Short mmCIF file of all heavy atoms in Angstrom, two decimals:
data_model
loop_
_atom_site.label_atom_id
_atom_site.label_comp_id
_atom_site.label_asym_id
_atom_site.label_seq_id
_atom_site.Cartn_x
_atom_site.Cartn_y
_atom_site.Cartn_z
N SER A 488 -16.59 -70.90 -0.02
CA SER A 488 -17.71 -69.97 0.30
C SER A 488 -18.06 -70.03 1.88
O SER A 488 -18.10 -71.11 2.40
CB SER A 488 -18.91 -70.32 -0.53
OG SER A 488 -20.03 -69.65 -0.03
N THR A 489 -18.34 -68.89 2.41
CA THR A 489 -18.71 -68.77 3.79
C THR A 489 -20.04 -67.99 3.92
O THR A 489 -20.32 -67.40 4.86
CB THR A 489 -17.70 -68.19 4.80
OG1 THR A 489 -17.40 -66.95 4.24
CG2 THR A 489 -16.45 -69.04 4.82
N GLU A 490 -20.81 -67.97 2.73
CA GLU A 490 -22.07 -67.21 2.67
C GLU A 490 -23.02 -67.80 3.51
O GLU A 490 -22.77 -68.72 4.41
CB GLU A 490 -22.55 -67.06 1.27
CG GLU A 490 -22.86 -68.37 0.62
CD GLU A 490 -23.27 -68.27 -0.88
OE1 GLU A 490 -22.98 -67.25 -1.46
OE2 GLU A 490 -23.78 -69.24 -1.46
N TRP A 491 -24.32 -67.25 3.44
CA TRP A 491 -25.39 -67.61 4.25
C TRP A 491 -25.53 -69.18 4.41
O TRP A 491 -25.40 -69.84 3.45
CB TRP A 491 -26.72 -67.05 3.68
CG TRP A 491 -27.86 -66.94 4.58
CD1 TRP A 491 -27.81 -66.84 5.89
CD2 TRP A 491 -29.24 -66.93 4.18
NE1 TRP A 491 -29.15 -66.68 6.38
CE2 TRP A 491 -29.99 -66.77 5.33
CE3 TRP A 491 -29.94 -67.08 2.93
CZ2 TRP A 491 -31.39 -66.73 5.40
CZ3 TRP A 491 -31.26 -66.95 2.95
CH2 TRP A 491 -32.07 -66.79 4.18
N TYR A 492 -25.67 -69.61 5.67
CA TYR A 492 -25.71 -71.02 6.10
C TYR A 492 -24.47 -71.76 5.96
O TYR A 492 -24.45 -72.96 5.99
CB TYR A 492 -26.88 -71.72 5.36
CG TYR A 492 -28.26 -71.28 5.72
CD1 TYR A 492 -29.19 -71.10 4.65
CD2 TYR A 492 -28.60 -70.99 7.03
CE1 TYR A 492 -30.46 -70.65 5.04
CE2 TYR A 492 -29.91 -70.64 7.34
CZ TYR A 492 -30.81 -70.42 6.35
OH TYR A 492 -32.12 -69.99 6.58
N LYS A 493 -23.35 -71.10 5.68
CA LYS A 493 -22.05 -71.69 5.41
C LYS A 493 -20.93 -71.27 6.39
O LYS A 493 -19.85 -71.70 6.41
CB LYS A 493 -21.56 -71.69 4.02
CG LYS A 493 -22.54 -72.28 2.96
CD LYS A 493 -22.01 -72.06 1.48
CE LYS A 493 -22.95 -72.57 0.54
NZ LYS A 493 -22.38 -72.37 -0.90
N GLY A 494 -21.34 -70.36 7.31
CA GLY A 494 -20.31 -69.84 8.24
C GLY A 494 -20.37 -70.47 9.48
O GLY A 494 -20.68 -71.67 9.60
N LEU A 495 -19.90 -69.79 10.54
CA LEU A 495 -19.63 -70.37 11.86
C LEU A 495 -20.61 -69.75 12.91
O LEU A 495 -20.37 -69.98 14.10
CB LEU A 495 -18.19 -70.29 12.38
CG LEU A 495 -17.24 -71.19 11.65
CD1 LEU A 495 -15.80 -70.74 11.93
CD2 LEU A 495 -17.37 -72.63 12.00
N THR A 496 -21.58 -68.99 12.49
CA THR A 496 -22.57 -68.47 13.35
C THR A 496 -23.75 -69.48 13.40
O THR A 496 -24.40 -69.76 12.42
CB THR A 496 -23.06 -67.10 12.83
OG1 THR A 496 -21.96 -66.28 12.86
CG2 THR A 496 -24.10 -66.55 13.83
N ILE A 497 -24.22 -69.92 14.62
CA ILE A 497 -25.16 -70.76 14.87
C ILE A 497 -26.37 -70.01 15.26
O ILE A 497 -26.32 -69.38 16.44
CB ILE A 497 -24.77 -71.95 15.81
CG1 ILE A 497 -23.68 -72.76 15.22
CG2 ILE A 497 -26.01 -72.79 16.20
CD1 ILE A 497 -23.20 -73.88 16.20
N TRP A 498 -27.57 -69.98 14.70
CA TRP A 498 -28.73 -69.34 15.06
C TRP A 498 -29.46 -70.11 16.17
O TRP A 498 -30.60 -70.60 15.93
CB TRP A 498 -29.54 -69.03 13.82
CG TRP A 498 -29.01 -68.05 13.03
CD1 TRP A 498 -27.88 -67.32 13.10
CD2 TRP A 498 -29.66 -67.60 11.78
NE1 TRP A 498 -27.59 -66.35 12.09
CE2 TRP A 498 -28.65 -66.52 11.27
CE3 TRP A 498 -30.70 -67.81 11.03
CZ2 TRP A 498 -28.94 -65.93 10.08
CZ3 TRP A 498 -30.92 -67.18 9.88
CH2 TRP A 498 -30.12 -66.27 9.29
N SER A 499 -28.93 -70.21 17.35
CA SER A 499 -29.43 -71.03 18.39
C SER A 499 -28.69 -70.47 19.68
O SER A 499 -27.54 -70.08 19.54
CB SER A 499 -29.18 -72.46 18.10
OG SER A 499 -29.88 -73.28 19.00
N PRO A 500 -29.28 -70.59 20.86
CA PRO A 500 -30.52 -71.28 21.22
C PRO A 500 -31.77 -70.45 21.11
O PRO A 500 -31.65 -69.18 21.13
CB PRO A 500 -30.33 -71.66 22.68
CG PRO A 500 -29.47 -70.53 23.10
CD PRO A 500 -28.55 -70.20 21.97
N ASN A 501 -32.91 -71.04 20.86
CA ASN A 501 -34.30 -70.31 20.87
C ASN A 501 -34.63 -70.30 22.44
O ASN A 501 -34.96 -71.31 22.98
CB ASN A 501 -35.35 -71.05 20.15
CG ASN A 501 -36.63 -70.24 20.10
OD1 ASN A 501 -36.81 -69.50 20.91
ND2 ASN A 501 -37.48 -70.58 19.13
N ILE A 502 -34.52 -69.13 23.03
CA ILE A 502 -34.71 -68.93 24.50
C ILE A 502 -36.12 -68.08 24.70
O ILE A 502 -36.15 -67.62 25.83
CB ILE A 502 -33.58 -68.34 25.20
CG1 ILE A 502 -33.09 -67.09 24.51
CG2 ILE A 502 -32.44 -69.44 25.26
CD1 ILE A 502 -31.99 -66.38 25.35
N ASN A 503 -36.93 -68.13 23.70
CA ASN A 503 -38.17 -67.36 24.00
C ASN A 503 -38.92 -68.24 24.99
O ASN A 503 -38.87 -69.53 25.04
CB ASN A 503 -38.99 -67.34 22.66
CG ASN A 503 -38.35 -66.34 21.70
OD1 ASN A 503 -38.12 -66.61 20.54
ND2 ASN A 503 -38.03 -65.17 22.17
N ILE A 504 -39.74 -67.52 25.87
CA ILE A 504 -40.59 -68.21 26.85
C ILE A 504 -41.86 -68.71 26.19
O ILE A 504 -42.64 -67.99 25.54
CB ILE A 504 -40.90 -67.17 27.91
CG1 ILE A 504 -39.62 -66.69 28.59
CG2 ILE A 504 -41.73 -67.82 29.01
CD1 ILE A 504 -38.67 -67.75 29.22
N PHE A 505 -42.14 -70.07 26.42
CA PHE A 505 -43.22 -70.69 25.78
C PHE A 505 -44.47 -70.85 26.81
O PHE A 505 -44.49 -71.67 27.58
CB PHE A 505 -42.80 -72.06 25.26
CG PHE A 505 -43.86 -72.85 24.67
CD1 PHE A 505 -44.67 -72.18 23.58
CD2 PHE A 505 -44.19 -74.20 24.95
CE1 PHE A 505 -45.62 -72.89 22.87
CE2 PHE A 505 -45.24 -74.85 24.30
CZ PHE A 505 -45.89 -74.26 23.24
N ARG A 506 -45.41 -69.88 26.72
CA ARG A 506 -46.52 -69.88 27.53
C ARG A 506 -47.92 -69.82 26.78
O ARG A 506 -48.88 -70.00 27.42
CB ARG A 506 -46.50 -68.62 28.44
CG ARG A 506 -45.37 -68.65 29.43
CD ARG A 506 -45.38 -67.60 30.55
NE ARG A 506 -44.52 -67.88 31.53
CZ ARG A 506 -44.18 -67.01 32.51
NH1 ARG A 506 -44.80 -65.77 32.51
NH2 ARG A 506 -43.35 -67.29 33.43
N ASP A 507 -47.85 -69.90 25.46
CA ASP A 507 -49.04 -70.02 24.74
C ASP A 507 -48.96 -71.16 23.71
O ASP A 507 -48.08 -71.06 22.74
CB ASP A 507 -49.28 -68.60 23.97
CG ASP A 507 -50.56 -68.57 23.26
OD1 ASP A 507 -51.15 -69.61 23.02
OD2 ASP A 507 -51.04 -67.42 22.87
N PRO A 508 -49.73 -72.15 23.99
CA PRO A 508 -49.69 -73.40 23.20
C PRO A 508 -50.06 -73.19 21.74
O PRO A 508 -49.75 -73.99 20.77
CB PRO A 508 -50.58 -74.40 23.78
CG PRO A 508 -51.54 -73.61 24.68
CD PRO A 508 -50.74 -72.36 25.09
N ARG A 509 -50.62 -71.96 21.41
CA ARG A 509 -51.02 -71.66 20.03
C ARG A 509 -49.74 -71.25 19.24
O ARG A 509 -49.94 -71.29 17.98
CB ARG A 509 -52.05 -70.56 19.98
CG ARG A 509 -53.42 -71.00 20.54
CD ARG A 509 -54.31 -69.80 20.78
NE ARG A 509 -53.69 -68.81 21.63
CZ ARG A 509 -54.42 -67.63 21.88
NH1 ARG A 509 -55.52 -67.37 21.40
NH2 ARG A 509 -53.75 -66.81 22.78
N TRP A 510 -48.72 -70.89 19.84
CA TRP A 510 -47.45 -70.63 19.10
C TRP A 510 -46.92 -71.91 18.48
O TRP A 510 -46.70 -72.90 19.08
CB TRP A 510 -46.47 -70.01 20.06
CG TRP A 510 -45.21 -69.52 19.37
CD1 TRP A 510 -45.09 -69.04 18.07
CD2 TRP A 510 -43.88 -69.47 19.88
NE1 TRP A 510 -43.70 -68.72 17.82
CE2 TRP A 510 -42.99 -68.98 18.89
CE3 TRP A 510 -43.31 -69.91 21.10
CZ2 TRP A 510 -41.62 -68.75 19.10
CZ3 TRP A 510 -41.95 -69.72 21.34
CH2 TRP A 510 -41.11 -69.14 20.38
N GLY A 511 -46.62 -71.90 17.22
CA GLY A 511 -46.26 -73.02 16.51
C GLY A 511 -44.74 -73.54 16.66
O GLY A 511 -44.51 -74.58 16.09
N ARG A 512 -44.04 -72.83 17.45
CA ARG A 512 -42.65 -73.25 17.54
C ARG A 512 -42.20 -73.46 18.98
O ARG A 512 -41.01 -73.43 19.33
CB ARG A 512 -41.77 -72.13 16.98
CG ARG A 512 -42.03 -71.97 15.43
CD ARG A 512 -41.26 -70.79 14.94
NE ARG A 512 -39.80 -71.00 14.95
CZ ARG A 512 -39.00 -70.00 14.43
NH1 ARG A 512 -39.38 -68.95 13.87
NH2 ARG A 512 -37.66 -70.27 14.56
N GLY A 513 -43.13 -73.79 19.82
CA GLY A 513 -42.78 -74.04 21.25
C GLY A 513 -41.84 -75.24 21.38
O GLY A 513 -41.09 -75.23 22.40
N GLN A 514 -41.81 -76.13 20.45
CA GLN A 514 -40.82 -77.31 20.59
C GLN A 514 -39.44 -76.98 20.50
O GLN A 514 -38.59 -77.69 20.84
CB GLN A 514 -41.28 -78.47 19.51
CG GLN A 514 -40.86 -78.19 18.20
CD GLN A 514 -41.77 -77.11 17.43
OE1 GLN A 514 -42.75 -76.74 17.98
NE2 GLN A 514 -41.50 -76.87 16.11
N GLU A 515 -39.12 -75.75 19.98
CA GLU A 515 -37.74 -75.31 19.82
C GLU A 515 -37.28 -74.75 21.13
O GLU A 515 -36.10 -74.49 21.34
CB GLU A 515 -37.67 -74.19 18.79
CG GLU A 515 -37.98 -74.58 17.38
CD GLU A 515 -37.93 -73.40 16.44
OE1 GLU A 515 -37.15 -72.48 16.71
OE2 GLU A 515 -38.53 -73.45 15.47
N THR A 516 -38.13 -74.41 22.05
CA THR A 516 -37.71 -73.70 23.34
C THR A 516 -37.46 -74.69 24.46
O THR A 516 -37.70 -75.81 24.44
CB THR A 516 -38.75 -72.76 23.63
OG1 THR A 516 -39.94 -73.27 24.34
CG2 THR A 516 -39.33 -71.89 22.47
#
């Protein structure tokens, strides 16, 4: 199987700009 989460596509990098500390995912950027 090469279905969802089993293929060779990596959902990264997270390159969003982190300027608001209220965003819960700043640690990814």
Side-chain angles (χ1 to χ4, degrees):
S488 173
T489 58
E490 62 185 15
W491 201 24
Y492 293 137
K493 296 180 183 178
L495 288 168
T496 300
I497 297 178
W498 288 358
S499 191
N501 184 340
I502 53 174
N503 293 128
I504 301 302
F505 182 50
R506 289 185 169 172
D507 187 340
R509 294 171 298 178
W510 185 32
R512 296 174 65 178
Q514 76 278 5
E515 296 180 25
T516 76

